[in-house]
Amino acid sequence: MATTTDVSAREAEVLELVGEHLSNAEIAARLFISVRTVESHVSSLLRKLEMPDRRALAQRASGLARADRPHPAPALPAPLTSFVGRVRERAELTEMIKSHRQVTAVGPGGVGKTRLALAVAADAAGDFADGVWFVDLTSVTAPDMIATAVADALGLGELPGRGMDESVVAALTDRHTLLVLDNCEQVRDGVALFLERLLAGCPRLTVLATSRARLVVPFERVYAVPPLSLASGGESDAVMLFMERAAAVGWPLDPPLFDHVASICERLDGMALAIELAAARYPTFGLDGLTAALSHPLRMLTGGSRADDRHRSVRAVLDWSHDLLEPADRALLRRVSVFVAPFTARAAAEVAGVEEILVADGLARLAEQSLLVVTVSPGGTRYRALETIRQYGAERLAEAGELAEVRSRHRRWCLERAAGLAVVGADWRAGFDAVADDLRAALAWAAQEPEQRADAYRLARHLAELTFTRNLVGESQQRYEQAAAFAEDPGSAASALRDAAAVAGCRMRGDDMHHLQRAAAEAARRAGDAAGAACDLATIATNACRFASKFVRKLPPEETAALIAQARELAGEDPAARATVALAEAAQALNDAVGSVRGRPGGSAPEMIARAQRAVELAHRTGDPLAESAAFDVLAGTQSWAGDTFAAAATARFRVTLLSSAPNTPAATHELVEALGEAVESSLGTGDLPGARRWARRLADHPLLAEVGHRAMSWPLVADALAGDADRMLTGGVRFLDAWRRAGSPTSSALGPAVAAMVMIHGLRDDHDAQGEWEAVLARFGTPPEQAYGYGAVFDAMLLLHRGQASEALERTAPEPGDVWKWVTWIWLHWYVALRAEAARLPGRPDARDRLADARAATAGNPVAGAIVERAEALLDDDQERLLATAHAFDAVGCRYQSARTLVLAGGEHAARGAAALADLGLAPMAPLQRPS
C-alpha cells in the first residue's frame, strides 16, 4: 500500500487493516502487537493524514489500496472548505478543555459548532498522549447505540461479560485522550448517562461535546458558541466567511462591497450555515437579489414558535433555498432526507421513486447549492445531507404527506440491502458499515408503526444476524430480543429468543442465556410446541452444567433436576426432545461426579460413559450437528474424568470436524469456540504439541475472540509454554495482559493456566521483574485446587527442575495422582506424572525405579510425557545413548525446550549445544542439579 513520507512502515500496515474495517483488537491480533500500540498508531494516522474520524481514515486506506500514488491528496469529505476566523472562540475553547474534563459547545443548528470543535481538537491533538477521537452521533437514533458509535470510531469491540458501555470504559480507563462527541442533541439524555459512566471510570479522559442544549452531567462546563462576529471594518468573521466562500465558487468580491456583505450577514445573525448557503446563491442572485430574498417577512417567520430567533434565520435561509429549487429537486431533497448515512445515486433513485439518471442530475444540483455534501472515493460517489438540512427535509416530507410512502420505500430498500449482505464476501464489512445506520433507523421507524410489525421483525432479524457476523455481539443479542418482541407468532418469537440465548453464551453471559432460554420455552408452550419447550428446558439444565463458569448465579442441583423432569414430561416421543433430555441427564451426572468425587472414579465411570454415549446416539439420529457436538462434549468430559485421555482427545477432534460444516449461526459459533478450546486441551493432554498449537492459533484467530485477547491468547500461551517458545509467549502475553486489564481483570478459572504459564516462562528467562508482575496477576486468582495440584504443580515443577531444585519439584508434586485425581485429569495428568517421576529419579531414592515404572505405564502413548519418563530412566541408568535418543524424540514432536534441556543434561560437548539452544529460545541457562544433603 502506498503511504505518505510521514507514515511509518508499521503505521502503513495499521492503515491498510483499518481500510479492511478491522477493529483495533483485530488489528492487534493480526500484527501481534498490543491494542494500546494500535490505538497510538491510529491516533497518529488521524493527525498525519488530517482525517476527521476513523470512517474517513478507512476510506482513505481503501483509496490508497486501489490507487498506488506516492503522495495522494487527503481524501477529506467534499466540499473542502477552510476554517475561517473564530480566533477568540478557538482559543477560549482550547483553554477550557485543558482545564475541565467535560466541555459542551452549545448553540443552535447552523452556528458552526462542529467546525469549531474539529479545529480545537486539531489544535489540542499534541496535548493528549493517547490521541484525539471524533465521533459523529448524527445517525444515532437510540440511546443504547451511543456506545456502539463510540466503539466504532475508536475501533473497539465488546468485551465478554460486559455491555458496550462497559467495554468502552474499560478501553479508555487509563488513556489520556480527547473524545469529541458531535451532534448530541437527538440523544441528549442517553449521552448524559453514557458520559457519567465514562468520566467516572476514565480519570484521564477529556470530552468535548457539541449539542444544541447542555447535557447536564457532572464535570460539565458549557461554552456557548456565538454567531460569527459582525464587527464593522475588516474584522468581521461573518463577512470573511461569505467572501471566502464566494471566491471559492469563482465570484470574488471587491473590498468596497464589504458593507453590503456585512448587512446581509447581519440579517442572517452571523449564522455560519445561513451565510454559507447565501454565499452559494451569490453567483446567481448578486448582493441585491440576496438582500431582497432575505427581506420577505413570511420567509423570515417560517420557524414560528418552535424555534428561537437565531434558528429562525437558518430556517429562513433553508426556506428560501428550498423555494428557489425546481419542484423536482424539492421533492428529491425531502425524499433523500430519510437517509441517515451517506447514500448513492442508485439508492436515492430507489427510495425517491425516480429514474436514476434524473436523480443523478438532481443530486448534483442540490450539491451545487450546498444542500448536500459530496464524497468522492474509488468506491463511488456518495451524498450526505448535513443534519440540519436533513431534519428540514424530513419536516417538508411530512408536510407533503409523503412520509409514510417514502419511509416504506426506504424500509424495502433496507430489507433488500440486508438480504444481499447475508452472503459474506470480500467487501462485506465495508458494505455493512455503509448501510448499518440506515438499517437501524428503518427499524426504529417501523417499530413505531403497529401495521409495520412484520417488517420490524424482519429488519430486527436481519440486523441481529448481520451485527453478529460483524462481531457487534451485544447489539446482536438486543436485535434478536427485539425480533422476538415484534414476532407475530410465538413460534417465531421462540426461535429469536433461542438465537439471543446463543449470542449471550458467546458473550460469556450465562445468566442472560438462562433467562432467554426460559423465555423461549414459554413462547414454545404458547405456540403449542411441547417438544420445543422440552428442548429449551433441557438445554437450560445442560448449559448450567457445561458452561458453569459463565454464570454469576449458579443453578442449584435441585433446580437443574426439576428442569430435566419438566423437559422429560413434555418431550413425549419427539426424537429431538428425547435427545436433548438424554444430554441433560448425562451432563448432570458428570457435573455431580466432578463436584463430589475427590479420588479416582470407581464403578460409576462405565455407567456415566454409557449414559453419555446414549446421548450421542440419540443426537446423531436427529441429524443436527450442534446437538451431536454438545453430546460429544459431555462424552469427552466423561472419558477424561474416567482417565481415558486418548479417547477424550479423539472425541474432541471429531467434534471440531463435525462442526466444520455447520452454518455460521450464533449457536454454531458458540459450539465451535468451545470445541476448539477442548481440542487444544485434549491435544496438550496427549502430548500432541503441534496439534495443540494449531488448534490454539485457530481459536485465537476466531473473529469472536478478536476483541477479547485474554480469552484468545489463553490456550496459545499454555501450548507455547509447554513447548518452551518464549518469543511467542512474550508477544502473546502483552496482548493477554492488555485485554485482561481492559476487561476488568476477570479471575475466571479458565484463565489461570495461561497466567501460571507466563510466570513459569519469565522464571525460565530469569526475568524476575516480569515474573513478579505475573505472580501478582496470578495472586488475583487465589489458590484453587486446580492450581495447587494441576497446572500450578506442572508449571512450578518445570521451573524448579530447570533450576536444579529436584527435591523442591518432588515436594511440589508430592500428592499421588489418585489422591488428587479431580485436579490432574484432562490435560495435566500425564505432565504431572512425568515431571513427578523425573524429580524422583535422584540418586539415593529407593523408590525411584518404582515411580518410573508407574509413570511409564500411566503416560504410555504420550510422546512428550513418555520421553520425559524415558529421559529420567536413562539418567538414572547413566545410559547416554538412550538419553540422546530422547532429545530426538522431543524434536520430533516440536518440544524444543525439552530437547535443549536433554542435551544439557547429557553433559560434555552436548551441553554446549543445549545451552545454545536454550539461548536461542530466549531462556536462561539451566542450573546444575542439587544433590540431596
Side-chain angles (χ1 to χ4, degrees):
M1 173 183 286
T3 62
T4 68
T5 54
D6 291 334
V7 175
S8 69
R10 177 61 88 183
E11 286 172 341
E13 291 179 314
V14 171
L15 179 61
E16 183 174 2
L17 296 177
V18 168
E20 295 179 16
H21 293 257
L22 300 185
S23 70
N24 286 350
E26 290 170 319
I27 294 171
R30 184 78 63 86
L31 298 181
F32 297 101
I33 57 179
S34 73
V35 176
R36 180 180 298 197
T37 301
V38 177
E39 289 175 353
S40 177
H41 287 319
V42 172
S43 180
S44 175
L45 286 165
L46 288 169
R47 291 196 299 270
K48 289 181 178 181
L49 301 182
E50 301 178 13
M51 296 288 104
D53 52 35
R54 189 183 182 91
R55 182 172 293 182
L57 191 64
Q59 187 178 55
R60 171 68 180 277
S62 176
L64 289 174
R66 293 168 183 264
D68 190 11
R69 299 188 299 267
H71 300 288
L76 297 172
L80 302 177
T81 56
S82 59
F83 185 79
V84 176
R86 298 279 197 192
V87 175
R88 177 178 58 81
E89 296 95 323
R90 199 166 172 172
E92 290 174 347
L93 193 52
T94 298
E95 284 303 312
M96 287 187 73
I97 64 172
K98 290 180 180 178
S99 306
H100 304 288
R101 296 190 58 211
Q102 203 275 299
V103 178
T104 305
V106 301
V111 77
K113 301 184 294 295
T114 298
R115 294 297 300 273
L116 177 60
L118 284 172
V120 168
D123 292 342
D127 297 331
F128 292 88
D130 294 308
V132 175
W133 303 87
F134 179 81
V135 184
D136 185 0
L137 299 179
T138 298
S139 59
V140 176
T141 56
D144 54 13
M145 294 306 298
I146 294 168
T148 299
V150 174
D152 181 58
L154 272 63
L156 302 172
E158 186 178 15
L159 296 171
R162 294 183 168 208
M164 193 62 86
D165 286 27
E166 296 170 291
S167 299
V168 172
V169 172
L172 297 177
T173 185
D174 61 347
R175 301 294 188 264
H176 186 211
T177 298
L178 173 64
L179 182 66
V180 182
L181 295 181
D182 191 38
N183 290 304
C184 298
E185 52 273 353
Q186 75 272 20
V187 283
R188 187 164 63 101
D189 292 342
V191 170
L193 292 172
F194 173 70
L195 285 184
E196 283 193 46
R197 290 192 290 267
L198 191 63
L199 292 167
C202 307
R204 303 180 67 206
L205 176 70
T206 297
V207 176
L208 173 58
T210 74
S211 177
R212 295 184 186 179
R214 59 177 299 196
L215 302 177
V216 194
V217 294
F219 314 118
E220 183 182 34
R221 292 296 183 273
V222 176
Y223 182 81
V225 179
L228 293 169
S229 64
L230 297 166
S232 60
E235 301 299 323
S236 169
D237 286 347
V239 174
M240 286 173 58
L241 177 64
F242 187 101
M243 298 183 76
E244 199 279 341
R245 296 298 186 257
V249 294
W251 290 80
L253 288 95
D254 295 329
L257 298 173
F258 182 95
D259 289 341
H260 199 163
V261 173
S263 68
I264 292 174
C265 292
E266 187 173 359
R267 297 291 297 275
L268 297 174
D269 288 336
M271 298 297 285
L273 174 61
I275 292 168
E276 297 240 16
L277 291 170
R281 287 293 184 181
Y282 166 67
T284 304
F285 282 83
L287 297 180
D288 290 340
L290 289 173
T291 302
L294 291 171
S295 298
H296 198 293
L298 292 178
R299 290 187 176 125
M300 291 302 296
L301 296 174
T302 297
S305 61
R306 293 173 296 173
D308 60 24
D309 291 340
R310 290 175 179 171
H311 201 174
R312 284 177 186 155
S313 64
V314 176
R315 184 177 295 279
V317 174
L318 289 172
D319 283 339
W320 160 63
S321 295
H322 175 268
D323 290 346
L324 292 172
L325 295 173
E326 293 296 325
D329 290 346
R330 294 181 199 172
L332 182 59
L333 178 64
R334 65 178 179 260
R335 290 171 186 175
V336 298
S337 69
V338 295
F339 288 103
V340 297
F343 55 89
T344 63
R346 176 174 293 182
E350 292 184 37
V351 172
V354 182
E355 291 184 27
E356 185 174 348
I357 189 170
L358 299 177
V359 165
D361 287 342
L363 293 175
R365 287 191 295 271
L366 293 173
E368 288 171 2
Q369 303 305 322
S370 297
L371 293 169
L372 293 179
V373 174
V374 184
T375 302
V376 180
S377 71
T381 301
R382 289 184 176 271
Y383 302 84
R384 176 176 61 90
L386 297 176
E387 181 61 14
T388 302
I389 297 173
R390 196 181 73 80
Q391 292 177 5
Y392 178 86
E395 290 181 8
R396 287 290 186 171
L397 192 64
E399 291 170 4
E402 298 176 343
L403 187 62
E405 178 187 354
V406 176
R407 281 188 173 175
S408 178
R409 286 200 294 265
H410 178 262
R411 188 166 58 251
R412 289 198 298 271
W413 178 83
C414 286
L415 284 167
E416 289 172 5
R417 298 289 82 71
L421 286 167
V423 179
V424 178
D427 297 329
W428 186 89
R429 282 179 179 239
F432 171 76
D433 291 347
V435 301
D437 288 333
D438 275 298
L439 298 181
R440 292 165 180 142
L443 173 57
W445 293 330
Q448 298 169 7
E449 304 294 336
E451 66 273 15
Q452 302 300 333
R453 190 180 183 93
D455 279 351
Y457 169 78
R458 292 171 61 202
L459 278 167
R461 288 263 352 176
H462 280 309
L463 258 177
E465 294 160 3
L466 294 171
T467 50
F468 184 81
T469 304
R470 188 64 176 86
N471 294 323
L472 300 172
V473 288
E475 181 178 358
S476 177
Q477 180 181 328
Q478 174 196 352
R479 300 304 180 189
Y480 276 121
E481 292 182 49
Q482 274 188 299
F486 294 134
E488 294 183 321
D489 64 273
S492 297
S495 174
L497 288 166
R498 289 171 191 134
D499 285 328
V503 178
C506 293
R507 299 176 66 206
M508 304 292 288
R509 297 203 170 205
D511 297 79
D512 280 4
M513 184 167 54
H514 174 88
H515 78 71
L516 287 166
Q517 201 84 47
R518 273 195 179 275
E522 290 301 317
R525 279 175 167 170
R526 291 196 303 273
D529 181 9
C535 289
D536 291 320
L537 294 172
T539 298
I540 295 170
T542 301
N543 289 345
C545 299
R546 292 180 65 203
F547 310 122
S549 64
K550 298 183 180 183
F551 285 77
V552 175
R553 174 189 174 269
K554 309 294 184 185
L555 248 66
E558 58 273 14
E559 188 172 341
T560 304
L563 286 166
I564 295 174
Q566 293 176 52
R568 191 183 299 114
E569 183 178 344
L570 291 169
E573 296 301 315
D574 182 83
R578 291 180 59 213
T580 312
V581 170
L583 173 61
E585 292 170 340
Q588 183 188 34
L590 175 60
N591 196 59
D592 290 345
V594 170
S596 60
V597 179
R598 295 198 57 81
R600 287 179 180 268
S604 63
E607 180 184 346
M608 287 170 57
I609 290 176
R611 190 190 296 269
Q613 288 173 333
R614 174 63 175 164
V616 168
E617 178 186 347
L618 291 175
H620 179 71
R621 292 178 187 174
T622 68
D624 181 359
L626 302 188
E628 200 170 352
S629 168
F632 273 121
D633 180 30
V634 173
L635 176 60
T638 307
Q639 289 169 329
S640 173
W641 179 247
D644 197 342
T645 305
F646 294 98
T651 300
R653 289 193 298 271
F654 181 78
R655 184 181 171 207
V656 176
T657 302
L658 180 69
L659 291 169
S660 61
S661 59
N664 185 29
T665 63
T669 300
H670 189 207
E671 275 294 317
L672 180 59
V673 169
E674 297 294 329
L676 287 171
E678 187 177 85
V680 178
E681 295 178 74
S682 64
S683 296
L684 290 173
T686 58
D688 179 12
L689 290 182
R693 297 176 83 177
R694 285 195 306 273
W695 293 122
R697 181 52 48 196
R698 182 175 169 186
L699 180 65
D701 290 342
H702 195 283
L704 185 67
L705 301 186
E707 307 295 344
V708 283
H710 52 299
R711 284 182 63 201
M713 296 310 301
S714 179
W715 284 117
L717 289 177
V718 174
D720 290 339
L722 294 174
D725 193 336
D727 288 341
R728 289 179 70 96
M729 289 194 68
L730 295 181
T731 302
V734 170
R735 184 182 173 198
F736 178 99
L737 200 58
D738 186 77
W740 180 74
R741 286 171 174 159
R742 288 172 182 276
S745 304
T747 53
S748 167
S749 59
L751 302 177
V755 179
M758 289 303 302
V759 171
M760 182 198 73
I761 209 69
H762 285 299
L764 293 177
R765 297 177 68 246
D766 273 351
D767 187 340
H768 301 297
D769 289 341
Q771 183 180 0
E773 180 183 9
W774 282 95
E775 284 175 339
V777 174
L778 188 60
R780 299 281 294 273
F781 288 73
T783 311
E786 54 265 37
Q787 179 184 336
Y789 305 114
Y791 63 84
V794 168
F795 287 128
D796 287 350
M798 286 180 66
L799 179 56
L800 290 168
L801 288 169
H802 184 89
R803 292 175 173 172
Q805 298 172 288
S807 295
E808 288 85 347
L810 185 60
E811 182 178 353
R812 185 67 180 86
T813 55
E816 292 287 342
D819 295 335
V820 290
W821 180 264
K822 177 177 176 180
W823 313 117
V824 297
T825 52
W826 201 223
I827 73 173
W828 306 113
L829 176 60
H830 292 176
W831 294 90
Y832 184 92
V833 169
L835 292 168
R836 187 169 181 270
E838 180 172 352
R841 58 91 186 169
L842 284 170
R845 286 201 60 90
D847 62 344
R849 291 198 180 279
D850 290 339
R851 290 198 179 211
L852 286 170
D854 291 343
R856 181 183 293 279
T859 61
N862 184 315
V864 180
I868 292 174
V869 175
E870 178 72 11
R871 180 178 63 195
E873 191 167 3
L875 285 167
L876 190 62
D877 294 338
D878 197 18
D879 188 334
Q880 189 81 338
E881 183 177 351
R882 286 172 60 199
L883 181 61
L884 293 174
T886 63
H888 295 301
F890 287 126
D891 283 331
V893 293
C895 194
R896 294 171 59 202
Y897 167 68
Q898 293 294 349
S899 173
R901 188 163 183 275
T902 301
L903 295 176
V904 174
L905 291 171
E909 61 182 17
H910 305 294
R913 288 171 47 215
L918 288 174
D920 287 343
L921 291 171
L923 304 178
M926 285 172 51
L929 182 67
Q930 294 178 3
R931 302 291 179 177
S933 56

